[in-house]
């Protein structure tokens, strides 16, 4: 909790612009957290997702991810459950194990948002993925040994590659060495 008083400058259903001690930044008023999933198959592959992101006006390669506490009936959902739910919605995979890795700020100068990274293993495909309602997600299952080149190739061909995808690749390499 901050010792400074927040002044709300603007608010929509999904974003709140706040000023604190002369600094403006964004909050998410409708979520209790953000999850990002490093999903590894038993065959040594990592799962990425691709979707069009309007703020960037580009297709973006990311880790499966989503908000926690943003849907009716899920307001008090534990972050690990949100991670498992988002993994299945976006990729069609369910995981035997979902393990918390670390919490990291996404852009500390612009938002108070913190992403919680989870490792998902023991994957089993139960559906096609693709997201919900207005999401149009493409699932990429990439051999871990080729994943760095895959991300660089995506960037070279005009796709945006989220920094969290590279962070997830690091976590995947660490997890497979352990």
């Amino acid at each position: 909790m901050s010792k400074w008083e927040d002044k709300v400058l603007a608010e929509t259903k999904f974003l709140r612009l706040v000023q604190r001690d002369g600094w403006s930044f964004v909050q998410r008023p409708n979520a209790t957290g953000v999850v990002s999933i490093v999903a590894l198959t038993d065959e040594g592959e990592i799962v990425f997702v691709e979707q069009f992101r309007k703020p960037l006006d580009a297709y973006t390669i990311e880790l499966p991810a989503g908000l926690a506490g943003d849907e009716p009936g899920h307001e008090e959902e534990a972050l690990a459950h949100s991670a498992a739910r988002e993994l299945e919605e976006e990729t069609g995979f369910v995981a035997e194990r979902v393990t918390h890795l670390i919490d990291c700020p996404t852009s500390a100068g612009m938002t108070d948002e913190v992403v919680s990274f989870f490792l998902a293993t023991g994957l089993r495909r139960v559906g096609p993925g693709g997201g919900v309602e207005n999401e149009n997600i493409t699932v990429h299952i990439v051999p871990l040994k080729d994943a760095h080149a895959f991300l660089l190739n995506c960037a070279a061909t005009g796709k945006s590659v989220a920094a969290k995808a590279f962070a997830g690749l690091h976590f995947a390499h660490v997890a497979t060495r352990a």
Side-chain angles (χ1 to χ4, degrees):
M1 193 71 182
S2 173
K3 64 181 178 178
W4 308 104
E5 184 177 329
D6 290 350
K7 177 181 178 185
V8 176
L9 302 176
E11 187 166 352
T12 69
K13 180 178 177 183
F14 298 104
L15 296 174
R16 177 185 300 132
L17 180 59
V18 174
Q19 187 173 67
R20 179 182 295 160
D21 191 36
W23 193 275
S24 298
F25 61 96
V26 178
Q27 297 176 323
R28 288 194 185 270
N30 68 331
T32 58
V34 178
V35 296
S36 196
I37 305 100
V38 180
L40 301 178
T41 70
D42 292 341
E43 291 75 30
E45 301 156 319
I46 186 168
V47 181
F48 294 111
V49 295
E50 176 180 344
Q51 59 185 312
F52 187 80
R53 293 299 196 175
K54 290 183 183 184
L56 298 173
D57 196 26
Y59 284 91
T60 303
I61 305 296
E62 308 173 37
L63 294 174
L67 299 175
D70 66 322
E71 295 180 13
H74 296 283
E75 295 88 354
E76 302 299 320
E77 185 176 41
L79 292 177
H81 289 121
S82 293
R85 178 178 49 78
E86 289 290 346
L87 178 65
E88 184 175 355
E89 287 175 5
E90 292 191 359
T91 71
F93 282 105
V94 294
E96 275 183 29
R97 292 167 302 285
V98 176
T99 308
H100 180 258
L101 296 171
I102 193 166
D103 300 324
C104 301
T106 58
S107 182
M110 188 186 79
T111 179
D112 65 356
E113 181 176 88
V114 172
V115 63
S116 297
F117 284 90
F118 288 86
L119 177 66
T121 55
L123 301 184
R124 182 173 46 90
R125 198 85 187 251
V126 297
V132 294
E133 294 177 21
N134 63 348
E135 294 177 319
N136 186 18
I137 296 172
T138 301
V139 179
H140 296 280
I141 304 167
V142 182
L144 191 53
K145 65 180 180 55
D146 301 330
H148 188 259
F150 168 79
L151 295 177
L152 293 178
N153 183 61
C154 287
T157 58
K159 294 179 181 172
S160 175
V161 179
K164 289 183 281 187
F166 285 105
L169 188 54
H170 165 74
F171 294 136
H173 284 298
V174 169
T176 58
R177 283 188 219 133

